[in-house]
Amino acid sequence: MKTIFRIKILLAILISLCYQPLLAQNKEIKGIVTSAEDGEPLIGATISVKGNEAQGVVTDIEGKYILQIPNSDCTLVVAYLGMRTQELKAPSSGILNISLEAESMSLDEVVVTGYGNFSKSSFTGSANTLRADMMKNVPVMTVEQKLQGMTTGVNITSSSGQPGANQSIRIRGMGSFNASQEPLFVIDGVPVTSGSLSTGGADAAYMNNSKTNIMSTLNPSDIENITVIKDAAAASLYGSRAANGVILITTKQGKAGRTQVSLNIAGGFSDAAVDFRPTLSGDQRYELLYEGLYNYALDKQMKSPSEYASQEIGKYAYVPELGYTDWRKELLRTAIHQNYEASVSGGNERTTFYASLGYNSQEGLARNSSLDRYSARLNMSQKVGKYGEVGANVMFTQMNQEMNEERGSSINPFLDVAMLMNPSMTVRDKEGNYIGAYPGTTFNPLRDILTDYNRTRMTRMFSTGYASIEPLKGLKLKETLSYDYTIQKDSRYFNPMSAAGPKSGSDAQTSKGFIEYGKLISSTSLNYVHTFNYKHHLDVLAAYEIESYQTDKASGERSRLPSNSNLVEPDNASVLNSFISSTQAYRMLSYLSRLNYDYDDRYYIAGSFRRDGSSRLSPKNRWGNFWSVSGMWHLSNEAFMKPIKRILSDVKIRASYGVNGNQPNSLYGYMGLYTYGQSYMGGFGSYESSLANPNLKWEKNYNLNIGLDLAFFSRIFLSVEYYNRDTKDLLYSLPISATTGFTNYLSNVGQLNNKGVEFELRTINFATPHFNWSTVLNLSHNSNKIISLNGQLEQSIEGTWFIHKVGLPYHTFYVKEFAGVDPQNGDALYYTNTLNKDGSYSREITNDISKAQAIPYKSVNPKISGGLTNILNYKQVDLSFTLTYSLGGYSFDKLGTYIENGTSNIYSSKYNLPAYAMDRWQKPGDQTNVPRFVYNQSASDNNSSRYIHSTDHLRLKNLTLGYTLPREWTRKVMVNKARFYFSGSNLLTWAKWNQYDPETPVNGEVFCEAPPMRTFSFGVQLTF
């Protein structure tokens, strides 16, 4: 018996000894996986050991899991569809609770409205939200450029590609004639000024040219997300400022936890995004001008055309002593840029903070253009007691901008390389001294752009402070006070020999000006949020706001400076040429309210009402009422949808209708004004400068939006929207008889309509521990149409090649229709387009342009535009890129009217010619659109469709490729994250017409503006 007992003891010891290694090799890890956004448990999340993902476990209905791991040194991989995959070190404690953040493609992202934040699934209006991770590392200076191709219904163009230049944004088309057509920008809940501030005017010629964009003062790296509001559901809360949509920007805030320090250093170079207006080489120009002279002699039946051409060609085309001049090389350059940004953020449960410093420097393509920006930001919030909170967001920026001329001036470097300067013109003599470009002149654009200057310094401080208290659960009282202060200083100098357009005589001219702008906003709001019986959700807001604006500006110009070129201050000049100054102010008071209600996350209704009173309108029309109603049926939350929810995971039907408005740009537009400062017979004088219109009232926008949102398998998200936008009582400078002493006056006339369809497809193509791939495809179609002008006028011819006509888009060309080139003799042909009795046009062809009639032709507006974005991550490698496209739009080449309009001016003005001039007709049977080239050929009309070109294009707008070093490497040097990246913008462009950039100015008229830059940037991001 004892023997048996001893054997059992021995066996137990042996089993115990054998089992100990097994226990040592297996360890249990358990915890809960939740969503970082709402803290809710995630069902079906996978937790596995890195390198052996097939043996993982999934979370249960409460988000809990238990995982056996082989040892304590392994790395765990946590993945969930639509969430960011995390890799975490196995904890020694055996407890690991995990919070996963949503992918940027998640359907339920946050919609920021400025008067409260909502989840995408509960928002009844039309909005698109872009998170910082979708916009990161795009090498641009302004936030507007980050939006291109990223959201539906938003079209962004620029009249200049210079760094920091002003941008034009249209959300769902243009909604006004003369009032603002730009959206309202809101930063951290406070409306701000966008666009340009300019001291320029008739008396301070060419100063600034409205090229400095005040939004360039905002450092894009400080942005957390951007929300674009397009319908009335949320925009009507902003009343008179939201007629053209709202762009809400939320800057980064600190988060409770360990303090994090980030450093971003980048640099690179830029060239033109397109081959800007390629021109003839010296030999090509010689060949073409010789041919023109030969053809002229041939038509005149001279005895020896070749002898005549050989005798005359030396007047127009020749090889200079030092060889042909490459003006592009002389005037343009490869631009260099560099960025340095540092930020620190963190906090605890009661205090959070985010602070950043930035320096950005970017050269322009022309030698005399650049932008330097110094920026700083501090965002803080502090809990006060149990129920209170205070906070402040402070931004300080200083920008120094140097601009090149872009108008019809001989110191416009882009006009020079495209037309004014030909290869036979010279820059320097043998000793390297600047000389006249051709005999008998001192004209030299390189000397002028290096000695003349046009500079702007903009300093901006934007500060917002708030305090809130929650005396009762769900009831919050909040006061926000904001002050936006900007001062812009402009300076301009022309050297004594400058051939600048606004300069006359031989004296140097110097100008200086400033504009000081201040805007104070006070907002007091009371917000109540409560849930009744777990199914009734109520959100009520009431607020009172005051907005006060002041601006002060002055500028002057003097001449007759000392010979010393360093003495360029206006005070050193002896003659005062001009001086202008003004002070303006306005105020607006507003009352607003909002109600949101939903039942059981299925039925949503919302309404808003705002009443604005503006000093820009007469007392009897001062107050305007703006409102909206909206609703949504969250169909997928109905019980009958449960059987198919695994396939059709989300369905929403939305609708909204509302009214918002626009006020006059002029602060005193309803008043009859007098202008003083005039001289009359040696005494002071004045004159009546504008007619009074006490009946001037608000311009109103009536906005309907219907939307459908679908989600399949929780990874394919489709959104389709239809909208109709009517603008009535348009603010318009109505032409009147000049016998009144005026040519127009500001009034409310006409109606404009925009309607269209938007389509967005978002997909999560792959979501695995090692590979993630998401895609966004968006498409927009907008139809713009004038409904009425003044009730009596059917059409108005605007300038030389535009028409405003009832039933047509606002930007419609009015030209004689080009019919190509006669293949037998090379003549330019045109359709007569005489109007028949039945309203049709006669399509006879003539080579006499005087017999052709101008007709409404193409429109600037594209039929379809949009973008395609892909975001990919594979282990430590990340790749993202955006393609933008536009189809069906047209532009007018204003420069073409100079260089294609007959040949007499080509010879007399010594212009260069476009490269496509070599495609001219030469012999019978040639098929081309470029007529025969003949010296002294009479000029044709400059309003021909020959100068209208398609803007169809596809562009690789942005691309970023990055590599993050493994953490086991970086931890050794106390770096939390180290990422190296390449980023580029406007890298490739495929355009139907490739002579200039297809992203033309908003009115479609193209001259010689600086093209956008193709930028290559290389950088490193470090997080400590």
Side-chain angles (χ1 to χ4, degrees):
M1 199 66 178
K2 289 182 179 180
T3 302
I4 295 174
F5 178 76
R6 290 172 180 171
I7 292 174
K8 287 182 177 181
I9 293 292
L10 182 60
L11 288 173
I13 292 172
L14 290 173
I15 292 172
S16 177
L17 291 173
C18 292
Y19 191 63
Q20 282 298 321
L22 295 176
L23 290 176
Q25 293 175 6
N26 288 275
K27 183 178 180 179
E28 184 181 271
I29 301 294
K30 60 183 179 179
I32 301 176
V33 181
T34 58
S35 167
E37 183 176 342
D38 53 20
E40 293 295 321
L42 295 177
I43 306 168
T46 61
I47 303 93
S48 58
V49 177
K50 187 173 182 179
N52 191 21
E53 286 82 4
Q55 302 299 317
V57 298
V58 297
T59 55
D60 60 19
I61 195 170
E62 296 178 344
K64 297 180 179 179
Y65 72 95
I66 299 176
L67 175 68
Q68 299 292 330
I69 62 174
N71 56 70
S72 300
D73 294 326
C74 63
T75 299
L76 303 183
V77 179
V78 187
Y80 185 77
L81 188 63
M83 297 287 185
R84 291 184 179 279
T85 299
Q86 289 192 26
E87 294 186 5
L88 302 166
K89 187 72 174 177
S92 57
S93 63
I95 304 297
L96 180 61
N97 296 323
I98 305 153
S99 178
L100 294 181
E101 293 183 351
E103 283 281 356
S104 60
M105 300 303 302
S106 174
L107 181 68
D108 205 32
E109 51 199 14
V110 176
V111 177
V112 180
T113 68
Y115 293 101
N117 299 341
F118 303 90
S119 65
K120 183 74 172 178
S121 61
S122 66
F123 186 63
T124 58
S126 176
N128 289 92
T129 297
L130 302 177
R131 294 162 57 114
D133 52 3
M134 291 185 67
M135 304 176 290
K136 64 182 180 181
N137 304 325
V138 178
V140 296
M141 293 290 285
T142 63
V143 62
E144 296 100 323
Q145 294 169 301
K146 285 182 175 286
L147 289 171
Q148 289 184 295
M150 301 295 285
T151 183
T152 57
V154 179
N155 184 40
I156 301 175
T157 59
S158 176
S159 60
S160 173
Q162 296 192 62
N166 196 31
Q167 308 287 308
S168 295
I169 303 176
R170 299 293 180 266
I171 297 178
R172 292 183 168 179
M174 60 165 289
S176 182
F177 287 169
N178 290 117
S180 173
Q181 300 173 20
E182 302 294 328
L184 172 70
F185 276 86
V186 177
I187 300 178
D188 293 329
V190 178
V192 299
T193 297
S194 60
S196 65
L197 305 175
S198 178
T199 60
D203 295 324
Y206 285 40
M207 287 184 65
N208 190 270
N209 301 336
S210 301
K211 292 176 188 171
T212 304
N213 181 6
I214 193 172
M215 289 303 295
S216 297
T217 58
L218 178 63
N219 186 350
S221 297
D222 288 333
I223 296 174
E224 182 66 29
N225 60 55
I226 303 174
T227 299
V228 180
I229 295 176
K230 297 176 286 188
D231 73 335
S236 291
L237 278 169
Y238 292 97
S240 62
R241 299 164 294 184
N244 302 299
V246 184
I247 297 178
L248 299 114
I249 297 171
T250 302
T251 59
K252 295 177 179 178
Q253 304 291 324
K255 297 179 181 179
R258 185 177 178 182
T259 299
Q260 180 173 286
V261 178
S262 298
L263 180 65
N264 182 22
I265 301 173
F269 59 93
S270 305
D271 56 12
V274 295
D275 186 7
F276 176 78
R277 295 191 182 275
T279 51
L280 300 182
S281 67
D283 291 335
Q284 288 175 322
R285 182 172 177 273
Y286 184 98
E287 174 190 343
L288 191 59
L289 294 187
Y290 182 92
E291 182 178 309
L293 293 167
Y294 181 91
N295 288 336
Y296 171 77
L298 192 65
D299 292 346
K300 294 294 183 179
Q301 298 181 349
M302 294 183 182
K303 184 177 181 181
S304 176
S306 59
E307 183 179 342
Y308 171 80
S310 299
Q311 289 174 350
E312 297 294 318
I313 188 63
K315 299 177 183 178
Y316 313 107
Y318 50 87
V319 181
E321 184 180 3
L322 299 179
Y324 285 126
T325 302
D326 185 345
W327 284 102
R328 293 176 188 269
K329 183 178 179 180
E330 297 288 348
L331 299 176
L332 307 181
R333 64 184 172 185
T334 298
I336 305 300
H337 69 269
Q338 51 185 323
N339 302 320
Y340 304 91
E341 295 165 348
S343 66
V344 56
S345 64
N348 52 42
E349 294 180 355
R350 300 190 62 81
T351 306
T352 62
F353 65 91
Y354 170 85
S356 72
L357 293 173
Y359 170 70
N360 307 87
S361 175
Q362 189 171 45
E363 295 178 342
L365 297 177
R367 291 183 181 274
N368 59 337
S369 61
S370 63
L371 180 69
D372 292 327
R373 179 178 63 202
Y374 304 84
S375 62
R377 171 172 289 276
L378 176 62
N379 294 348
M380 294 191 69
S381 66
Q382 173 68 50
K383 302 286 186 183
V384 180
K386 294 178 63 177
Y387 309 107
E389 182 179 336
V390 296
N393 299 330
V394 180
M395 181 189 82
F396 175 83
T397 302
Q398 185 172 96
M399 293 196 314
N400 299 307
Q401 184 183 31
E402 184 154 0
M403 296 163 283
N404 60 260
E405 184 56 69
E406 291 186 343
R407 304 191 190 191
S409 168
S410 57
I411 60 168
N412 175 352
F414 298 98
L415 177 60
D416 288 332
V417 301
M419 182 182 77
L420 293 182
M421 309 307 296
N422 69 64
S424 294
M425 294 181 176
T426 54
V427 183
R428 305 172 186 86
D429 58 20
K430 292 181 179 180
E431 287 73 34
N433 301 312
Y434 291 122
I435 59 175
Y438 54 90
T441 179
T442 60
F443 170 49
N444 192 313
L446 179 60
R447 177 203 62 215
D448 291 346
I449 69 170
L450 294 178
T451 53
D452 295 357
Y453 62 75
N454 187 355
R455 295 169 181 164
T456 290
R457 169 174 286 187
M458 179 180 287
T459 304
R460 186 184 191 190
M461 177 173 283
F462 176 49
S463 303
T464 301
Y466 71 88
S468 67
I469 187 171
E470 192 172 2
L472 300 174
K473 185 177 181 181
L475 181 67
K476 180 179 287 188
L477 177 65
K478 184 177 182 180
E479 169 63 28
T480 301
L481 191 65
S482 172
Y483 189 67
D484 190 355
Y485 175 82
T486 303
I487 184 167
Q488 175 179 307
K489 297 180 179 180
D490 300 326
S491 57
R492 187 72 155 106
Y493 171 73
F494 297 124
N495 79 78
M497 292 187 293
S498 177
K503 183 181 180 298
S504 60
S506 59
D507 291 325
Q509 293 179 5
T510 178
S511 312
K512 209 163 192 179
F514 79 92
I515 179 168
E516 184 183 47
Y517 160 90
K519 187 176 184 180
L520 176 68
I521 294 180
S522 170
S523 176
T524 305
S525 64
L526 188 64
N527 191 199
Y528 180 66
V529 180
H530 191 71
T531 300
F532 303 90
N533 298 326
Y534 302 101
K535 291 188 176 182
H536 302 271
H537 307 289
L538 182 67
D539 185 342
V540 183
L541 173 76
Y544 170 69
E545 294 183 347
I546 302 174
E547 179 178 317
S548 179
Y549 162 99
Q550 285 185 322
T551 183
D552 185 16
K553 68 177 181 180
S555 63
E557 180 181 86
R558 302 186 74 165
S559 59
R560 298 287 178 89
L561 281 162
S563 59
N564 189 336
S565 60
N566 294 322
L567 302 175
V568 296
E569 280 292 321
D571 194 47
N572 296 322
S574 60
V575 176
L576 177 65
N577 296 349
S578 66
F579 182 83
I580 59 172
S581 65
S582 68
T583 300
Q584 294 182 318
Y586 89 89
R587 281 190 177 183
M588 186 168 67
L589 301 179
S590 305
Y591 304 89
L592 63 101
S593 60
R594 182 204 66 207
L595 184 147
N596 291 338
Y597 168 80
D598 73 86
Y599 172 72
D600 198 25
D601 294 329
R602 290 184 289 164
Y603 311 110
Y604 296 79
I605 59 171
S608 68
F609 178 82
R610 180 178 180 120
R611 183 168 171 80
D612 284 341
S614 172
S615 64
R616 300 189 191 188
L617 296 166
S618 64
K620 69 176 184 178
N621 292 321
R622 183 153 290 170
W623 291 91
N625 299 322
F626 311 100
W627 53 270
S628 72
V629 291
S630 59
M632 181 177 68
W633 182 17
H634 206 158
L635 194 63
S636 56
N637 285 346
E638 298 286 357
F640 62 81
M641 293 291 292
K642 288 184 179 179
I644 61 172
K645 199 162 185 177
R646 291 176 61 88
I647 300 173
L648 189 58
S649 49
D650 196 74
V651 183
K652 293 189 301 179
I653 301 174
R654 297 175 283 110
S656 67
Y657 184 80
V659 180
N660 41 39
N662 224 338
Q663 55 184 330
N665 287 333
S666 172
L667 302 190
Y668 313 104
Y670 71 94
M671 296 181 177
L673 300 177
Y674 283 80
T675 295
Y676 291 85
Q678 308 300 310
S679 176
Y680 179 74
M681 297 182 67
F684 71 87
S686 66
Y687 67 92
E688 193 176 1
S689 56
S690 66
L691 280 175
N693 183 4
N695 296 319
L696 194 68
K697 56 186 179 180
W698 296 94
E699 184 178 278
K700 294 284 186 75
N701 248 270
Y702 299 82
N703 205 325
L704 169 69
N705 189 85
I706 299 173
L708 173 66
D709 300 323
L710 302 172
F712 301 91
F713 307 106
S714 295
R715 65 165 61 224
I716 301 173
F717 309 108
L718 174 65
S719 179
V720 181
E721 297 195 47
Y722 167 81
Y723 62 88
N724 187 79
R725 176 186 175 198
D726 283 304
T727 309
K728 301 179 181 180
D729 297 325
L730 285 157
L731 292 162
Y732 185 56
S733 294
L734 188 67
I736 57 175
S737 173
T739 58
T740 63
F742 303 91
T743 57
N744 58 67
Y745 81 107
L746 189 61
S747 58
N748 295 97
V749 296
Q751 182 176 340
L752 191 64
N753 175 263
N754 287 274
K755 61 183 177 182
V757 178
E758 296 173 355
F759 171 91
E760 183 178 81
L761 177 65
R762 302 183 292 167
T763 60
I764 302 175
N765 307 315
F766 289 92
T768 68
H770 293 304
F771 181 54
N772 292 276
W773 176 19
S774 303
T775 301
V776 182
L777 170 66
N778 66 68
L779 179 152
S780 302
H781 164 72
N782 181 77
S783 176
N784 173 268
K785 182 170 64 174
I786 298 174
I787 304 300
S788 70
L789 291 171
N790 65 352
Q792 300 175 350
L793 190 67
E794 284 296 311
Q795 68 181 41
S796 173
I797 309 300
E798 303 291 330
T800 307
W801 39 75
F802 286 106
I803 186 173
H804 296 163
K805 184 175 182 179
V806 173
L808 296 179
Y810 183 81
H811 291 301
T812 297
F813 298 114
Y814 185 68
V815 292
K816 297 181 179 182
E817 189 176 2
F818 182 56
V821 172
D822 190 330
Q824 298 305 311
N825 58 21
D827 286 349
L829 302 176
Y830 300 88
Y831 294 106
T832 57
N833 281 325
T834 52
L835 192 63
N836 299 320
K837 291 183 179 180
D838 61 359
S840 63
Y841 290 108
S842 173
R843 303 282 289 171
E844 296 178 5
I845 295 178
T846 178
N847 63 355
D848 185 355
I849 194 169
S850 65
K851 295 180 180 179
Q853 303 298 314
I855 61 169
Y857 195 60
K858 307 285 188 179
S859 171
V860 174
N861 306 327
K863 303 296 182 184
I864 296 175
S865 61
L868 174 67
T869 298
N870 281 273
I871 302 174
L872 303 94
N873 293 274
Y874 177 70
K875 294 184 178 180
Q876 279 80 39
V877 179
D878 61 271
L879 171 67
S880 63
F881 63 89
T882 296
L883 294 163
T884 58
Y885 62 90
S886 178
L887 300 170
Y890 292 86
S891 64
F892 188 92
D893 184 7
K894 182 179 178 180
L895 183 71
T897 64
Y898 292 86
I899 55 180
E900 294 184 48
N901 196 355
T903 58
S904 58
N905 59 349
I906 300 298
Y907 286 86
S908 61
S909 300
K910 301 180 174 60
Y911 292 163
N912 202 352
L913 290 142
Y916 59 80
M918 296 301 289
D919 298 330
R920 79 287 187 194
W921 183 96
Q922 293 180 279
K923 62 182 185 304
D926 283 353
Q927 300 292 328
T928 179
N929 280 327
V930 182
R932 180 172 178 252
F933 197 81
V934 182
Y935 166 70
N936 210 27
Q937 187 179 40
S938 60
S940 57
D941 259 348
N942 61 6
N943 66 333
S944 165
S945 66
R946 176 177 168 185
Y947 313 116
I948 293 177
H949 305 289
S950 171
T951 56
D952 291 358
H953 72 277
L954 173 67
R955 167 166 281 170
L956 179 56
K957 194 66 182 178
N958 303 305
L959 182 144
T960 300
L961 176 64
Y963 178 76
T964 302
L965 297 179
R967 290 193 64 186
E968 54 266 28
W969 296 4
T970 59
R971 273 186 301 205
K972 296 178 180 179
V973 292
M974 302 181 67
V975 175
N976 186 47
K977 180 181 179 180
R979 177 175 176 267
F980 297 88
Y981 67 91
F982 161 77
S983 187
S985 63
N986 299 323
L987 295 179
L988 295 170
T989 302
W990 299 269
K992 192 170 183 178
W993 177 255
N994 58 7
Q995 299 301 303
Y996 49 75
D997 191 73
E999 294 179 359
T1000 61
V1002 68
N1003 70 345
E1005 184 180 281
V1006 185
F1007 188 53
C1008 280
E1009 301 83 10
M1013 293 191 289
R1014 176 172 54 185
T1015 301
F1016 303 83
S1017 187
F1018 304 87
V1020 57
Q1021 293 175 323
L1022 303 175
T1023 302
F1024 304 91

